[in-house]
Amino acid sequence: MKKYWKFWILVFFVLSGCAVYHPLPLDRKAEETVLKGPDIKALGIEISRIKHPLLKPVKFDLKDGLSPDEAAILAVVANPELRAVRDEKKIASAQLLQAGLLPNPQLSASYEIPTAGVTSGTVNAYTFQLDWEITALLTRGARVSSARAEKAAVDLNVAWKEWQVAEAAKLHALRLLWAEKKVALLREAERELKKNLTLVERAVSLGEKTALDLAAARAAYQKIRLDLETAREERARERLTLNRILGFPPNTYLKIQKDVRLLSWPPPIKREKLLSGLAERRLDLLALKMSYQAQDERLRAAVLSQFPKIGIGLLRAKDTGDVITTGLAVSIELPFFDRGQAHIALEEATRKKLYDEYLARLFSARAEVAEILEKMAFVRRKIVASEEAKAALQRLLVTYKEALHQGNADLLGYYRLQNELLAKRLELLRLRQTQSDLGVALEIASGVYLPMRCKTLGIVNPKGDMK
């Protein structure tokens, strides 16, 4: 054994560089860690360190409630689905490492013992040969460049998915704020109708109102109660959706920040500004462009791989005549049948597909931005018209109420006007929410982040009355 000590040292040196297996059990403890929700303090540290091409760090403070901007950033660091998405970065890094590795040399050995024939004076023969394929050096540069571009594409795709999750959180935070306003509006209307119902019941008992007036008051009250319950259900649904996106358990109650400038968001922005540089802002387009570059390098590697494979080796042998020889060995692949033409055709067709897909998606992105801007213009005009119609109904209702007190109008007509005014207020809320939804859609489509601000103390929006 002493004569082989160098060989055992070599074996130990090779094995010492091997990876070690570490178990990662998918057990109840792992499930409970996810189900209990994230730690707010730890999230605050992650949020302060966030690095994203589009999202900017915000001052994260839940004491005054969760704002839509805070919800967007919180979703990026806490959403459980994004953890699996980010693991793709590690896979891409491993593929980049693999692309840079050269093939291992091959060691072959044989040992021969004379067993028949004229064996007198012969010795045992052996052969040692060390081979390595040198043509792997030709394609290494292209393979590494392709893997590097693919890694960049994966990083951009991950950032794009983070952007989408952030925008989804912002969307549902905004919808939750509008749902809160809708519930508040219907709750106030319910209180007014309940008060009216009590007054009508007293008037009927005194003979001042008829049973028809009482039936109308009760019908109006029952309808508003049903509308209120529907609005509360909508609010609960939005809260559950927001909790799921943020990675919190369903029973978590996150207070939503109230002093947000809902009515001034999204701000007016010119179409030219959104369309200019769109291909440099849309992360999915950038990722697709990097995928195209990676595929172009794969095609180049396929073309280079047409070169016949060449292997060189060192040889040492001893024959049965006790003659020891040392020399070189060369092996060359003869590309008579397979010259890599199928592989090249496949890579070339894939590159053409990515080329056309990028141009099609760029065209679609520009059209999408223009379509959203057009819809927003229509919604703004509808909001102006609804505001004017609401103001006219409010003036008419005041006049009708005075006529009702003087006995010159009927109660049914008054309730009808009240319902029309409430319907107009609800319609205005719906239009405002649609405008917010379109604002989020515009952020996603254009890659431009439009941060929201809280209301400045002492400044009142003249159009802020949603009643």
Side-chain angles (χ1 to χ4, degrees):
M1 292 292 294
K2 292 183 179 180
K3 58 187 298 186
Y4 298 110
W5 64 273
K6 294 183 178 179
F7 172 76
W8 291 114
I9 289 177
L10 177 63
V11 171
F12 176 78
F13 176 76
V14 172
L15 293 179
S16 64
C18 296
V20 180
Y21 168 76
H22 297 285
L24 184 63
L26 191 60
D27 52 11
R28 184 178 295 275
K29 182 180 179 181
E31 295 174 357
E32 290 176 352
T33 302
V34 175
L35 295 178
K36 72 179 182 180
D39 183 13
I40 296 295
K41 292 183 178 180
L43 289 178
I45 297 175
E46 290 187 51
I47 289 173
S48 63
R49 299 174 180 174
I50 190 171
K51 293 182 180 180
H52 192 273
L54 297 177
L55 293 170
K56 305 301 180 184
V58 298
K59 185 178 180 181
F60 187 74
D61 185 10
L62 293 181
K63 294 179 181 179
D64 57 347
L66 184 70
S67 70
D69 287 332
E70 289 174 333
I73 301 296
L74 180 59
V76 173
V77 299
N79 184 275
E81 296 178 4
L82 286 179
R83 297 173 191 160
V85 172
R86 292 190 186 99
D87 289 337
E88 296 178 8
K89 291 185 176 183
K90 298 179 181 179
I91 297 175
S93 297
Q95 291 173 338
L96 176 58
L97 176 62
Q98 179 64 39
L101 298 178
L102 294 172
N104 291 321
Q106 295 181 345
L107 176 65
S108 60
S110 65
Y111 189 73
E112 304 174 37
I113 301 175
T115 56
V118 182
T119 59
S120 177
T122 61
V123 297
N124 295 337
Y126 66 83
T127 302
F128 290 102
Q129 185 169 346
L130 182 65
D131 296 299
W132 187 57
E133 182 191 342
I134 63 173
T135 48
L137 293 171
L138 296 177
T139 60
R140 183 181 182 276
R143 288 186 286 109
V144 170
S145 297
S146 175
R148 188 176 291 116
E150 194 61 44
K151 182 180 181 302
V154 169
D155 291 343
L156 288 167
N157 271 321
V158 171
W160 171 249
K161 292 176 182 177
E162 290 175 340
W163 172 246
Q164 290 178 310
V165 170
E167 289 298 302
K170 186 173 184 177
L171 173 68
H172 288 284
L174 286 168
R175 287 183 177 178
L176 184 56
L177 283 169
W178 289 116
E180 293 277 7
K181 287 184 174 295
K182 186 176 181 180
V183 168
L185 176 61
L186 290 172
R187 189 186 296 122
E188 182 178 350
E190 182 203 28
R191 287 195 295 265
E192 291 295 328
L193 288 175
K194 186 176 182 180
K195 187 187 302 182
N196 289 339
L197 177 59
T198 303
L199 293 175
V200 171
E201 287 176 343
R202 186 181 305 168
V204 170
S205 65
L206 297 175
E208 298 176 356
K209 297 291 182 182
T210 65
L212 185 61
D213 294 330
L214 180 58
R218 285 175 177 171
Y221 178 65
Q222 293 299 329
K223 181 181 181 303
I224 200 65
R225 287 185 61 188
L226 180 61
D227 293 341
L228 179 58
E229 288 303 317
T230 303
R232 284 171 174 164
E233 181 185 4
E234 179 184 350
R235 180 182 61 181
R237 184 168 59 249
E238 291 297 334
R239 188 175 293 279
L240 288 172
T241 303
L242 182 60
N243 283 345
R244 179 178 59 82
I245 295 174
L246 297 179
F248 286 90
N251 58 348
T252 303
Y253 180 84
L254 291 174
K255 186 177 71 171
I256 301 298
Q257 189 171 339
K258 303 294 184 180
D259 56 341
V260 177
R261 287 187 177 273
L262 286 175
L263 303 183
S264 60
W265 192 88
I269 186 168
K270 294 183 179 180
R271 176 182 301 189
E272 293 76 15
K273 183 177 180 180
L274 294 175
L275 295 180
S276 176
L278 181 63
E280 286 71 36
R281 291 193 310 268
R282 278 278 296 252
L283 300 179
D284 60 327
L285 291 174
L286 291 173
L288 193 55
K289 183 180 289 187
M290 296 307 300
S291 294
Y292 173 80
Q293 293 182 12
Q295 182 59 36
D296 188 65
E297 291 294 335
R298 278 193 286 269
L299 176 59
R300 189 164 72 91
V303 172
L304 292 174
S305 65
Q306 291 181 110
F307 194 85
K309 293 182 179 179
I310 300 176
I312 60 174
L314 298 175
L315 177 67
R316 182 177 177 84
K318 183 174 76 170
D319 60 16
T320 55
D322 203 15
V323 176
I324 298 176
T325 58
T326 303
L328 297 174
V330 178
S331 62
I332 301 177
E333 181 187 47
L334 301 178
F336 289 150
F337 307 108
D338 184 5
R339 300 185 300 275
Q341 59 270 38
H343 187 204
I344 292 174
L346 176 61
E347 299 294 355
E348 193 170 11
T350 305
R351 185 185 67 171
K352 184 62 168 61
K353 177 180 178 294
L354 289 172
Y355 179 87
D356 292 334
E357 185 178 348
Y358 173 82
L359 295 178
R361 193 179 296 185
L362 176 60
F363 178 83
S364 177
R366 292 177 63 87
E368 187 178 357
V369 170
E371 182 181 352
I372 293 172
L373 289 174
E374 195 70 24
K375 288 181 179 178
M376 292 180 70
F378 279 113
V379 170
R380 287 193 182 100
R381 288 195 289 269
K382 289 181 179 179
I383 288 175
V384 173
S386 294
E387 288 278 6
E388 294 174 353
K390 184 192 74 171
L393 280 173
Q394 285 176 327
R395 291 191 297 268
L396 180 59
L397 187 64
V398 172
T399 304
Y400 203 94
K401 189 174 183 179
E402 293 176 356
L404 184 65
H405 288 318
Q406 297 172 3
N408 297 327
D410 62 294
L411 192 59
L412 289 176
Y414 178 72
Y415 286 138
R416 185 178 67 252
L417 278 177
Q418 270 193 329
N419 289 334
E420 289 180 9
L421 180 58
L422 179 61
K424 188 58 65 176
R425 289 171 176 168
L426 292 173
E427 179 188 358
L428 191 55
L429 276 175
R430 181 184 60 80
L431 289 172
R432 293 287 189 185
Q433 180 178 324
T434 301
Q435 187 179 34
S436 295
D437 291 353
L438 288 173
V440 173
L442 185 63
E443 284 187 330
I444 298 175
S446 65
V448 175
Y449 188 60
L450 307 172
M452 305 185 69
R453 296 183 178 88
C454 297
K455 292 181 181 179
T456 305
L457 295 178
I459 299 178
V460 180
N461 193 321
K463 295 185 179 180
D465 180 23
M466 302 302 298
K467 298 182 182 180

